[in-house]
Amino acid sequence: MVKVMATGAFDILHLGHIYFLKEAKKLGDILIVVVATDSTVRKLKHEPVNPEKIRLDLIKELKIVDKAYLGYENDIYEILKEIKPDIITLGYDQLHDEKTIEKELKNRNIKAKVIRLKEYKEGSDLEGTRKIIKKIIAAYEIQKTIERIEGENK
Amino acid sequence: MVKVMATGAFDILHLGHIYFLKEAKKLGDILIVVVATDSTVRKLKHEPVNPEKIRLDLIKELKIVDKAYLGYENDIYEILKEIKPDIITLGYDQLHDEKTIEKELKNRNIKAKVIRLKEYKEGSDLEGTRKIIKKIIAAYEIQKTIERIEGENK
């Protein structure tokens, strides 16, 4: 039984996440997902739209996910002692560096392979979180413009 | 085998959707979800953020969903001939009227019970689509304000 681990913020679920998780699961038998805490998301990316508990609960609802955990607050390696993955996957755009992770794993005597996944080629079909946010803001700006114009004509 | 049908836009998936689908499935054995087309979403609510194909593909990834279809363009009852549900569930906030649906079903000789689900009591834990959109816009407005202030101090 090969345990594969994938991590991420999974803020506003989209098909890019599903693709990432499916590619990860192909590498083994069981897919375990670690959802980054709000503080980790803040450090690595931005203020999360959805709080960690909600992001975790939603990830658990996916067919592809066998088990899901919330990451640890300060030490991202701490959870590995619990999960004991055989493979740790990295998304193509995740900032973590393979070499650094492998070194940290060795220091902690954790035997896991680190594999970076490739980018989805048919990317145009996917609606990433950033794309979704951009669309919402664009719609909001259009609405504001309409309101301004309508106001001017009153 | 009791077939339960649930419909919706499912634009930006959130725990409110999961709650709705879980409550629906409790009424039978198989949960079939009909995802509203973009044109139906436009008529009933607003411009969808995610296109119908993407909304459908994401719904199919949920553990709770046994089967998912895209609705028909013009006649929302057309799909019922294919699915043959025993129960049609309505979300607590879905605009459709039970009586009208029951009448239309009778006219078409479709035997299905229409059941409206109750609102989730712990609603504050859920992040609905509208709440998510509001949060994104609020963050955007704050960012714009910061940029304006920073610009003024240059």
Side-chain angles (χ1 to χ4, degrees):
Chain A
M1 281 283 247
V2 178
K3 267 197 230 173
V4 183
M5 192 185 103
T7 67
F10 304 105
D11 199 4
I12 308 180
L13 218 52
H14 59 75
L15 289 182
H17 294 135
I18 305 290
Y19 171 77
F20 167 47
L21 297 176
K22 282 188 173 172
E23 286 300 300
K25 191 152 181 176
K26 279 183 194 165
L27 301 170
D29 308 297
I30 291 179
L31 179 65
I32 297 162
V33 175
V34 176
V35 173
T37 59
D38 290 344
S39 68
T40 303
V41 175
R42 267 178 215 119
K43 260 182 255 167
L44 289 173
K45 292 171 130 185
H46 50 73
E47 182 65 26
V49 176
N50 292 299
E52 55 194 30
K53 174 74 169 65
I54 282 175
R55 291 185 283 112
L56 175 68
D57 283 351
L58 202 51
I59 271 290
K60 282 180 179 170
E61 297 296 333
L62 294 175
K63 284 180 179 135
I64 188 90
V65 175
D66 295 298
K67 210 159 180 187
Y69 296 81
L70 202 61
Y72 277 77
E73 276 299 328
N74 295 310
D75 185 350
I76 59 166
Y77 298 97
E78 198 58 33
I79 191 104
L80 299 178
K81 291 177 192 164
E82 238 170 275
I83 298 175
K84 297 186 179 69
D86 300 294
I87 294 170
I88 298 170
T89 53
L90 293 176
Y92 80 93
D93 61 348
Q94 284 184 336
L95 295 175
H96 307 286
D97 174 61
E98 288 98 312
K99 293 279 159 272
T100 313
I101 294 178
E102 278 165 1
K103 214 181 115 189
E104 291 283 344
L105 293 177
K106 216 179 162 187
N107 287 348
R108 287 150 206 261
N109 206 18
I110 298 166
K111 282 181 185 73
K113 229 169 129 177
V114 181
I115 296 177
R116 185 172 293 271
L117 298 173
K118 285 193 192 119
E119 185 173 4
Y120 185 40
K121 272 171 203 142
E122 296 157 58
S124 60
D125 260 350
L126 298 175
E127 303 287 290
T129 304
R130 256 165 252 177
K131 236 167 122 186
I132 291 170
I133 289 175
K134 267 188 197 161
K135 268 176 114 171
I136 290 170
I137 290 170
Y140 169 68
E141 284 291 3
I142 288 168
Q143 196 200 321
K144 277 212 309 189
T145 305
I146 290 170
E147 278 167 14
R148 208 185 56 228
I149 292 168
E150 285 177 345
E152 280 167 4
N153 291 337
K154 259 175 206 163
Chain B
M1 281 281 246
V2 177
K3 268 197 229 175
V4 184
M5 193 185 101
T7 67
F10 304 105
D11 200 5
I12 307 181
L13 217 52
H14 58 77
L15 289 182
H17 294 136
I18 305 290
Y19 171 76
F20 167 48
L21 297 176
K22 283 187 174 172
E23 285 301 299
K25 191 151 181 175
K26 277 181 195 166
L27 302 170
D29 308 297
I30 291 180
L31 178 66
I32 297 163
V33 175
V34 176
V35 173
T37 59
D38 290 344
S39 67
T40 303
V41 175
R42 267 177 216 121
K43 261 181 256 168
L44 288 173
K45 292 171 130 186
H46 50 73
E47 181 65 27
V49 176
N50 292 300
E52 57 194 31
K53 174 74 169 66
I54 282 173
R55 291 184 282 111
L56 175 68
D57 283 352
L58 203 51
I59 271 290
K60 283 181 179 170
E61 297 297 333
L62 294 175
K63 283 179 180 133
I64 188 90
V65 176
D66 294 300
K67 210 159 178 187
Y69 296 81
L70 202 61
Y72 277 77
E73 277 300 327
N74 296 308
D75 184 350
I76 60 167
Y77 298 97
E78 198 58 33
I79 192 105
L80 299 176
K81 292 178 190 163
E82 238 171 277
I83 297 174
K84 297 183 180 69
D86 300 294
I87 294 170
I88 298 170
T89 53
L90 294 176
Y92 79 95
D93 61 348
Q94 285 184 334
L95 296 175
H96 307 287
D97 173 61
E98 288 98 313
K99 291 280 158 271
T100 313
I101 293 178
E102 278 165 2
K103 214 181 113 188
E104 292 283 345
L105 293 178
K106 216 180 162 188
N107 287 347
R108 288 151 206 261
N109 206 18
I110 297 166
K111 282 182 185 71
K113 229 170 129 178
V114 181
I115 297 177
R116 185 172 294 273
L117 298 173
K118 284 194 193 117
E119 186 174 4
Y120 184 41
K121 272 172 205 142
E122 294 158 59
S124 60
D125 260 350
L126 298 174
E127 304 286 291
T129 304
R130 256 165 252 175
K131 235 168 125 187
I132 290 171
I133 289 176
K134 267 189 197 157
K135 269 176 115 171
I136 289 170
I137 290 170
Y140 169 68
E141 283 292 2
I142 289 168
Q143 197 201 320
K144 278 213 307 191
T145 305
I146 290 170
E147 277 167 13
R148 208 184 57 230
I149 292 168
E150 284 177 346
E152 279 167 4
N153 290 337
K154 260 176 204 162

